Amino acid sequence: MNGFSKYYQKDRQTRLNILVEQQKLSSAEVEKLAQAELDFELGDTMIENYLTQYQLPEGLALNYVIDGKEYLIPMVTEEPSVIAAASHGAQLVKKSGGFKAQVKERLMIGQIVLEQVSDAPTLAKKIKQQQDKLLTLANEAHPSIVSRGGGARELNVRILAPDMLSVDLVVDVKEAMGANMLNTMLEACAKYLEEELAVEVLLSILSNYATRCLVKVTCELPVENLTKGEISGAKIAQKIASASRLAQLDPYRATTHNKGIMNGIDAVVIASGNDWRAVEAGAHAYAARDEQYRGLSTWKLKGGKLCGELELPLPLATVGGSVSIVPLVKINQRLLELEDAKELEKIVAAVGLGQNLAALYALVTDGIQKGHMKLQLKSLAVSIGAKPQEVSQVVEKILAKKARDSATAQQILAEIRGNK
Ligand code: MEV
């Protein structure tokens, strides 16, 4: 695009000025970008062609008791109701003893993919025989992880097609997410394989399908704890179990069911400075692990209790990469009182299950709109320009109307202003 050549070499003010010169934004809009709170040095180090900070609201989810410890959980989201729902789901679970969570192992997998293979089974065997050598090479490529007690642990070979192999390196990455570490190790091993076995390497890269980094979270709620007004807890529990079955049967519903789970998961992953795209990709692949896309969580009735379970890959770090530099992450880690990455993974999974419980509870009782209406109307009021002191008046008045759209909200705002 004209005017943007060598954009990365320009200073920040020039980058902003170009947006006005090229009629991409008005000077008032550019002024807004320029005023966002920022640390230019940091932004310009983290990404390319840096302009400004893009901010999202952060709030706290309450009531999370996981393995007997209660947490305050920072969540970053633009969606109204997410934090309220996450806290509501957790409150129901807290009344019933809280969540239980397990992280069996925390290992990351990386792939070296070989192509133009002529005899895949023989080559697979040959490579497997070199496991010790390859693990040593991998560790030598990243010695600091070995001194921290981690390092390459296993090497597996999968035949993907008669002419294609994946050599999978399994690494204990300790507190990191491990992408850079794995990629360095993989490239060192790939070079060795090329030189020693004359194989054709297609690519070497970490896999985001982190099936050796699974987190499982469960909870059990006596059905009477689910009672809502006139509706019995047993009835609500039965409907939640049916909604869970539906998400196992139907990919259309499963996608929305999982979107609700990810509302909670992504919000905490972002607040913790982690890579939410990696988590999303891994979660959805796991949801399709038996070749049909299904709900990631299940809810079953067992002996008068509603039993919830959520398992998914959650490769989350407490150090390294963006976790160590995004300014609010340290404060959020302190709010979470985190001991280590495994604890963060348990918290994030619990929020996913709590979020899901709240969504299903609302869906099978009042429907989603009623509980969320006030929060959504608040957003509507802000979006049509209501000032903070006008928002609650707009919400109250629009609740009395049939049409709850922006035209109605604008009309109400005009009336409120006219009445002053
Ligand atoms: C909305 O962001 C999320 C829900 O649709 C989730 C669900 O339907 O389970 C409410």
Side-chain angles (χ1 to χ4, degrees):
M1 196 177 290
N2 277 346
F4 287 85
S5 119
K6 303 255 162 67
Y7 197 64
Y8 62 96
Q9 289 178 350
K10 313 267 193 278
D11 64 23
R12 174 168 179 258
Q13 194 52 52
T14 313
R15 286 180 197 165
L16 291 168
N17 292 344
I18 290 173
L19 294 175
V20 182
E21 281 157 27
Q22 296 297 317
Q23 299 180 0
K24 298 290 172 197
L25 294 176
S26 69
S27 22
E29 285 167 330
V30 160
E31 192 53 29
K32 270 198 182 159
L33 286 190
Q35 277 164 5
E37 230 176 89
L38 57 85
D39 173 342
F40 179 73
E41 294 275 300
L42 177 62
D44 212 38
T45 315
M46 285 181 71
I47 63 159
E48 305 72 42
N49 297 341
Y50 177 73
L51 288 177
T52 188
Q53 296 298 113
Y54 180 95
Q55 300 187 6
L56 288 173
E58 172 173 323
L60 281 182
L62 306 175
N63 309 319
Y64 275 85
V65 176
I66 307 162
D67 296 331
K69 178 169 164 190
E70 184 150 4
Y71 292 90
L72 282 180
I73 306 186
M75 296 177 75
V76 172
T77 179
E78 85 300 345
E79 185 170 332
S81 312
V82 163
I83 295 179
S87 303
H88 177 230
Q91 189 183 36
L92 292 169
V93 177
K94 183 181 176 184
K95 221 167 52 176
S96 313
F99 296 93
K100 294 203 169 25
Q102 294 166 32
V103 177
K104 250 203 336 238
E105 53 183 5
R106 198 177 174 282
L107 302 170
M108 293 302 286
I109 302 166
Q111 308 183 260
I112 304 163
V113 178
L114 309 182
E115 65 170 346
Q116 295 168 30
V117 169
S118 50
D119 179 356
T122 306
L123 181 60
K125 219 184 263 164
K126 235 190 216 172
I127 295 172
K128 190 69 190 164
Q129 280 161 358
Q130 303 237 21
Q131 160 157 303
D132 290 349
K133 173 76 191 164
L134 287 159
L135 294 184
T136 306
L137 274 176
N139 286 331
E140 282 169 3
H142 211 291
S144 61
I145 188 63
V146 180
S147 58
R148 275 184 270 133
R153 295 282 183 259
E154 272 175 45
L155 189 108
N156 302 307
V157 187
R158 288 175 301 126
I159 300 175
L160 305 180
D163 61 343
M164 195 176 269
L165 282 185
S166 178
V167 180
D168 299 343
L169 186 67
V170 181
V171 180
D172 180 348
V173 295
K174 291 289 152 200
E175 289 299 293
M177 193 268 205
N180 288 332
M181 189 189 307
L182 259 291
N183 294 339
T184 306
M185 288 179 167
L186 293 167
E187 285 178 16
C189 292
K191 191 159 173 272
Y192 172 83
L193 289 173
E194 274 172 337
E195 285 168 4
E196 293 300 311
L197 301 179
V199 293
E200 186 68 30
V201 173
L202 173 62
L203 53 80
S204 308
I205 189 77
L206 168 98
S207 170
N208 290 117
Y209 194 28
T211 53
R212 302 289 298 271
C213 188
L214 295 177
V215 188
K216 189 197 263 188
V217 62
T218 57
C219 60
E220 293 186 359
L221 300 94
V223 295
E224 53 278 12
N225 288 355
L226 296 165
T227 307
K228 184 171 174 47
E230 297 291 287
I231 321 175
S232 77
K235 178 86 188 156
I236 294 176
Q238 176 266 311
K239 290 218 172 249
I240 291 176
S242 284
S244 159
R245 180 170 165 246
L246 165 65
Q248 294 303 305
L249 293 171
D250 175 26
Y252 282 86
R253 174 57 204 157
T255 306
T256 321
H257 180 100
N258 290 343
K259 190 275 182 182
I261 292 172
M262 301 316 285
N263 273 346
I265 287 185
D266 284 345
V268 192
V269 171
I270 296 172
S272 73
N274 275 281
D275 180 345
W276 72 95
R277 289 84 57 211
V279 169
E280 282 279 342
H284 297 295
Y286 198 64
R289 65 192 175 281
D290 70 0
E291 291 179 13
Q292 182 184 319
Y293 186 90
R294 300 181 197 279
L296 282 163
S297 67
T298 56
W299 294 92
K300 290 186 178 142
L301 269 170
K302 285 184 204 154
K305 287 187 174 169
L306 180 68
C307 302
E309 183 177 316
L310 169 66
E311 183 178 71
L312 78 164
L314 270 181
L316 301 177
T318 57
V319 296
S322 54
V323 173
S324 301
I325 48 179
V326 174
L328 290 180
V329 169
K330 283 229 156 52
I331 297 176
N332 288 342
Q333 286 185 343
R334 283 193 12 84
L335 281 170
L336 287 165
E337 297 177 355
L338 275 190
E339 301 249 322
D340 56 21
K342 283 187 180 171
E343 189 178 12
L344 176 61
E345 291 167 1
K346 291 176 184 179
I347 294 169
V348 170
V351 174
L353 192 59
Q355 194 82 50
N356 179 232
L357 174 62
L360 298 184
Y361 190 88
L363 285 168
V364 303
T365 55
D366 291 334
I368 212 75
Q369 286 306 81
K370 187 171 172 209
H372 293 189
M373 189 53 86
K374 271 205 172 171
L375 289 167
Q376 276 158 5
L377 292 177
K378 264 191 187 173
S379 295
L380 176 65
V382 173
S383 75
I384 55 112
K387 301 254 154 54
Q389 64 277 17
E390 294 167 330
V391 169
S392 58
Q393 283 186 73
V394 174
V395 171
E396 288 313 317
K397 287 187 189 291
I398 202 168
L399 272 171
K401 305 266 184 199
K402 261 207 186 115
R404 292 168 183 166
D405 53 10
S406 51
T408 316
Q410 263 157 357
Q411 204 182 350
I412 291 173
L413 185 62
E415 279 163 24
I416 293 171
R417 289 182 178 170
N419 288 345
K420 277 188 188 152

